[in-house]
Structures are given as C-alpha cells and as structure tokens.
C-alpha cells in the first residue's frame, strides 16, 4: 500500500485549505491508500523557524516526507504566492526531498487572478526538490468551498475538476515504479 502525505501550509486552525487537505486524504483512503495529513502550523515554531531537524517533531515531519510515495501540497494564496509557513517547511527538506515522489500541488484563494501561483511559484520549488512527477495542479476558489456545519463541501463548479486531479494523482502513484 502506497503512502501519501498531505502537507497543508495554512496558519489558521479553521482553514478551508486544511479542510481541502482532509478531503483529499479521505478520498485517497477510499482507494485504500495510506494517507496522513501533516499540518505545518502544528509543528513547534522555534525549531521550525530555526530549521532544527534535531527537534523530535521536526525530525518526524521530515521523516514522514521521506517515507511517502506521494505528496499533496495544500496552500492558501497570500500576496500572489503560496504560504510562508509552507515555504519554511519545504526549506527544511534536503535538496532531494521529493525524489521518486509523485506530487499534487493544490491552492485555495479568493480570486482566479492568483491561479498562476501554482505554476510560477510552487511548481519550481517542487521541481527543485527532485519530484519524479508533478501532476496537474488545481486552484480552488474560496467561494466554491462551503464549510457550514464544520464539514467541507466543494460546490459543483469545482467538484469535477478536483475529482479529476485526485484521479490523475492516484493513477500516477499506481504507475510509479
């Protein structure tokens, strides 16, 4: 059974982005993938900001990345870029941190004007970490995400496309050597 790690980079405990990460992990678990969710905001701040990989929580998080076959990166969009919290975590990883891994980049944001954050900001970092395959990224508009009742539902405008990128990711994992 392949291991997938969803890494969410939102600083907010009520984040739609984090809920999207949970949804993706749940969908992958339906296919019997072993999917875990790493919420970067829960890591200890001082060791994270100091890139202290000797800290047990930081070492475990980096180890989760190393053990994963697939990585889903979920980030909110801030100032036309992915979150600084995600950047700090990605900077902890070795240069070959995504070698032999399939990666699915996801972003949420308030405006379609920020959709290029995935291809022009996040994808180059993922490539520099040596990802074997980066599947089609996906940008979810905040207005297509309903969190009423504490449970996320994706409105029909984005459901089919999100399902499609999850399926592409799943197929890429199956095809991985």
């Amino acid at each position: 059974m392949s291991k997938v790690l969803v890494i969410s980079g939102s600083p907010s405990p009520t984040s739609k982005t984090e809920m999207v990460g949970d949804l993706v992990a749940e969908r992958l678990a339906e296919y019997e993938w072993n999917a875990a969710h790493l919420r970067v905001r829960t890591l200890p701040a001082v060791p994270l900001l100091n890139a202290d990989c000797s800290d047990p929580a930081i070492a475990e998080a980096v180890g989760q990345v190393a053990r994963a076959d697939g990585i889903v990166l979920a980030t909110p969009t801030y100032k036309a870029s992915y979150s600084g919290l995600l950047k700090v975590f990605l900077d902890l990883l070795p240069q070959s941190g995504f070698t032999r891994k399939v990666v699915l980049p996801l972003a949420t944001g308030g405006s379609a004007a920020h959709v290029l954050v995935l291809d022009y900001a996040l994808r180059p970092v993922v490539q520099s970490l040596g990802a074997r395959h980066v599947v089609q990224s996906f940008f979810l508009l905040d207005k297509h995400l309903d969190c009423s009742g504490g449970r996320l539902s994706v409105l029909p405008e984005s459901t089919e496309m999100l399902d499609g990128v999850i399926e592409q990711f799943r197929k890429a994992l199956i095809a991985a050597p």
Side-chain angles (χ1 to χ4, degrees):
M1 178 186 305
S2 291
K3 294 179 183 175
V4 175
L5 182 62
V6 176
I7 303 171
S8 58
S10 176
S12 171
T14 58
S15 167
K16 290 179 182 178
T17 304
E18 198 167 285
M19 290 180 162
V20 168
D22 287 338
L23 176 69
V24 171
E26 289 169 15
R27 294 258 178 90
L28 291 168
E30 290 171 7
Y31 292 102
E32 299 185 8
W33 297 97
N34 181 356
H37 191 164
L38 172 62
R39 294 159 176 82
V40 178
R41 69 175 173 76
T42 65
L43 295 173
V46 172
L48 179 65
L49 292 173
N50 287 324
D52 181 3
C53 290
S54 68
D55 178 87
I58 302 299
E60 173 55 26
V62 171
Q64 284 181 286
V65 172
R67 293 185 297 274
D69 301 303
I71 302 289
V72 177
L73 297 174
T75 182
T77 305
Y78 297 120
K79 309 285 188 213
S81 188
Y82 62 99
S83 78
L85 190 57
L86 181 60
K87 174 71 168 132
V88 167
F89 181 74
L90 294 176
D91 285 347
L92 289 174
L93 302 177
Q95 191 64 39
S96 59
F98 287 168
T99 298
R100 295 184 306 278
K101 298 183 189 322
V102 177
V103 180
L104 168 58
L106 299 173
T108 60
S111 167
H114 298 298
V115 71
L116 294 177
V117 66
L118 290 162
D119 289 332
Y120 291 108
L122 190 53
R123 186 174 294 267
V125 174
V126 170
Q127 294 289 3
S128 76
L129 289 168
R132 183 186 69 76
H133 180 66
V134 183
V135 299
Q136 175 72 41
S137 55
F138 188 59
F139 187 90
L140 291 126
L141 287 169
D142 287 339
K143 68 182 180 181
H144 292 178
L145 303 173
D146 179 15
C147 298
S148 57
R151 178 101 173 122
L152 177 74
S153 64
V154 180
L155 299 184
E157 295 86 344
S158 290
T159 301
E160 186 176 329
M161 291 178 64
L162 178 60
D163 289 345
V165 296
I166 292 170
E167 181 62 14
Q168 285 177 22
F169 181 68
R170 193 179 73 76
K171 286 179 178 177
L173 283 169
I174 291 169

